[in-house]
Amino acid sequence: MKKIEMKTPIVEMDGDEMTRIIWQSIKDELILPFVGLKTEYYDLGLKNRDRTNDEVTVQSAQAVKRLGVAVKCATITPNRQRVEEYGLKEMWKSPNATIRAELDGTVFRTPVIIPSIKPAVRNWKAPITVARHAYGDIYKAEEIKVEKAGKAELLFTDADGKQTRSTICDFDGAGVLQGQFNRESSIRSFARACFGYAVATKQDLWFSTKDTISKIYDQTFKFIFEEIYKTEYEETFKKLNLNYFYTLIDDAVARVIRSEGGFIWALKNYDGDVMSDMISTAFSSLAMMTSVLVSPDGKYEYEAAHGTVTRHYYRYLKGEKTSTNPVATIFAWSGALRKRGEIDGLTDLINFAGLLEKAVLDTINGGTATKDLIPLMDENVKPTAVYTDEFISEIKNKLETRLN
Ligand code: NAP
Ligand code: MG
């Protein structure tokens, strides 16, 4: 068979542990036999991050800015235990945080849905994508434990020395205090990434906050979204018959559950953190969640939402076979190849991405699955649990059938 050709390389970010092993199998079995793959390779494995003083992470993010599309393997975010395990020079920052900061991006998480796995919410028919504003709010808040009675105030001193002051609470005893912030520039980037992604994937965009209670903080988010919609996206949305829909978060939660799915739900940082776990669990499992980082100027980095699956890796090192689910990582590859195809106008590459995804669904619907999926599957399918390599080779069989 003639291999499908590519024009521009995608940025390939290799990673750690079990996902690094699976990464190689996916390439060897499912991509390289069929595609004349072009990548610019960056090894974000922890050893190489340490060797390069984490320069490689920054370089890989700059490559995304240049080439526009990336695919990333899960990576270890070092903690103290990892510093010892790998003998690191430093407790390097999370690569995802570095890349996100460099690209000023927003993360969109989407479950892979499959007929033989029924979502916990019966009426969900299409995936719900959660877009989380991963900057500020309680994640960068300052907190004080109040020990006794006193006055808490909010004080802002602007660059010219002018002060604005507001009383938070006259404490009559012990309590707690928290100060949080966000930046207009970050909210704007978030809004643009969301509207842009809605247009790119032709889905409606929902946005919700608690603006009835938070009349300045949350309303600012609401107004910025409205303004950017009106001035930059309304025309395109109308042309594509898409909807931008703002509603209070309480109302959104109820509507999400009653919906059929098939839209993007944009959320502030904390709401997105919590709701994405709810959505992924209700659809199926973390191993079936894909994730894409999108910058406001339309650069894409695809990955699985899960981590490096450490426990499976330790078993692998002892020579045991594991039944680790590669689906989200395969969909990261198909997502990146499809986007590359769309940007470069390569129909064959776009089709290949679709067939690869269909081959995964064929395999699971045919009753071959990794261990984590078995309890979630329709009993009528009579699923069998297989090891990762068997699962991937069955996907390859199905892919070859589809390609012929
Ligand atoms: P994890 O790697 O997602 O694994 C947590 C558990 O979830 C696993 O032990 C496994 O359960 C199950 N699981 C996750 N993905 C699976 C898959 N593909 N197939 C089958 N089971 C799967 O999270 P973690 O253990 O908290 O973190 C491990 C490392 O990953 C850490 O060093 C962390 O820094 C890193 N991490 C990276 C990213 C990223 O790069 N985006 C994200 C999260 C975490 P069982 O063991 O019960 O089978
Ligand atoms: Mg969470």
Side-chain angles (χ1 to χ4, degrees):
M1 210 193 84
K2 202 171 152 282
K3 288 193 190 181
I4 294 156
E5 282 180 30
M6 290 180 66
K7 251 190 239 161
T8 322
I10 54 179
V11 181
E12 176 183 353
M13 301 166 170
D14 207 344
D16 288 301
E17 301 194 314
M18 204 60 220
T19 39
R20 187 180 179 101
I21 307 296
I22 291 175
W23 190 261
Q24 196 59 48
S25 314
I26 293 171
K27 275 177 69 180
D28 290 345
E29 299 298 318
L30 303 177
I31 317 267
L32 292 171
F34 311 104
V35 179
L37 184 67
K38 285 190 180 162
T39 72
E40 207 173 287
Y41 180 86
Y42 293 86
D43 183 2
L44 301 198
L46 187 51
K47 279 184 204 145
N48 196 45
R49 275 182 275 148
D50 194 53
R51 204 167 48 81
T52 62
N53 299 324
D54 212 19
E55 274 299 311
V56 66
T57 309
V58 177
Q59 284 163 3
S60 72
Q62 284 161 354
V64 187
K65 286 189 188 164
R66 182 161 38 83
L67 295 172
V69 183
V71 59
K72 179 180 169 292
C73 179
T75 46
I76 293 170
T77 298
N79 53 18
R80 201 165 310 138
Q81 183 248 319
R82 297 295 198 167
V83 172
E84 273 172 35
E85 183 183 350
Y86 282 80
L88 301 179
K89 295 183 224 164
E90 247 181 68
M91 200 188 293
W92 305 109
K93 278 205 313 199
S94 147
N96 287 60
T98 303
I99 297 164
R100 197 165 61 216
E102 193 73 26
L103 293 173
D104 191 18
T106 296
V107 172
F108 296 81
R109 277 184 159 198
T110 309
V112 173
I113 68 167
I114 290 187
S116 51
I117 301 177
K118 299 270 175 267
V121 180
R122 280 185 314 243
N123 38 289
W124 285 353
K125 295 195 172 67
I128 294 166
T129 296
V130 171
R132 169 183 172 191
H133 181 217
Y135 181 79
D137 301 353
I138 62 164
Y139 302 85
K140 283 206 187 282
E142 284 299 320
E143 303 190 325
I144 296 176
K145 178 137 182 49
V146 173
E147 302 290 357
K148 60 179 179 199
K151 187 187 184 69
E153 289 175 292
L154 208 52
L155 168 67
F156 175 71
T157 310
D158 76 13
D160 304 321
K162 187 171 160 269
Q163 297 197 319
T164 314
R165 192 185 289 267
S166 154
T167 301
I168 299 169
C169 180
D170 282 309
F171 283 98
D172 56 8
V176 281
L177 260 175
Q178 185 184 64
Q180 47 170 300
F181 74 93
N182 223 297
R183 297 174 197 271
E184 261 200 41
S185 58
S186 173
I187 304 169
R188 282 177 192 281
S189 294
F190 174 47
R192 289 197 175 98
C194 291
F195 287 117
Y197 194 65
V199 169
T201 59
K202 304 202 175 43
Q203 296 184 88
D204 289 349
L205 178 68
W206 296 20
F207 180 45
S208 49
T209 71
K210 192 75 179 173
D211 64 297
T212 48
I213 300 296
S214 172
K215 289 198 167 61
I216 293 179
Y217 201 103
D218 280 22
Q219 274 228 49
T220 298
F221 280 77
K222 176 183 168 177
F223 289 155
I224 288 176
F225 265 68
E226 247 167 46
E227 177 211 310
I228 290 182
Y229 176 64
K230 288 272 173 225
T231 55
E232 298 173 31
Y233 290 93
E234 190 171 24
E235 232 171 89
T236 317
F237 265 56
K238 293 227 159 103
K239 231 179 266 163
L240 294 170
N241 209 8
L242 298 176
N243 241 329
Y244 169 58
F245 175 55
Y246 176 87
T247 187
L248 189 65
I249 186 149
D250 319 40
D251 180 48
V253 167
R255 285 172 187 263
V256 162
I257 300 296
R258 286 199 307 265
S259 77
E260 293 193 347
F263 53 88
I264 300 161
W265 187 16
L267 290 157
K268 287 178 58 203
N269 209 350
Y270 173 80
D271 301 339
D273 182 354
V274 177
M275 288 301 152
S276 71
D277 282 338
M278 190 273 283
I279 296 281
S280 71
T281 312
F283 268 108
S284 64
S285 90
L286 192 58
M288 300 294 278
M289 285 299 279
T290 63
S291 178
V292 54
L293 175 74
V294 183
S295 73
D297 57 347
K299 314 290 185 208
Y300 294 77
E301 180 247 301
Y302 293 83
E303 62 179 298
H306 60 76
T308 59
V309 212
T310 309
R311 272 195 298 209
H312 294 214
Y313 182 60
Y314 292 154
R315 292 212 297 273
Y316 167 87
L317 288 181
K318 281 193 265 167
E320 289 173 37
K321 290 236 241 178
T322 70
S323 184
T324 315
N325 189 336
V327 171
T329 307
I330 296 173
F331 273 67
W333 274 98
S334 60
L337 293 174
R338 177 184 294 110
K339 181 54 73 183
R340 187 75 273 167
E342 285 169 7
I343 295 173
D344 292 352
L346 303 172
T347 321
D348 287 351
L349 195 60
I350 299 171
N351 288 343
F352 174 79
L355 294 179
L356 175 56
E357 291 174 357
K358 288 209 176 83
V360 172
L361 307 195
D362 289 348
T363 303
I364 299 172
N365 287 326
T368 304
T370 46
K371 212 168 105 192
D372 56 304
L373 294 179
I374 304 294
L376 307 169
M377 288 177 71
D378 194 336
E379 282 167 20
N380 299 325
V381 180
K382 299 206 174 43
T384 319
V386 296
Y387 294 122
T388 307
D389 52 351
E390 298 168 310
F391 185 64
I392 289 176
S393 76
E394 183 57 19
I395 295 171
K396 187 179 184 183
N397 288 338
K398 302 280 197 220
L399 178 59
E400 280 168 342
T401 310
R402 288 228 175 226
L403 281 166
N404 293 325

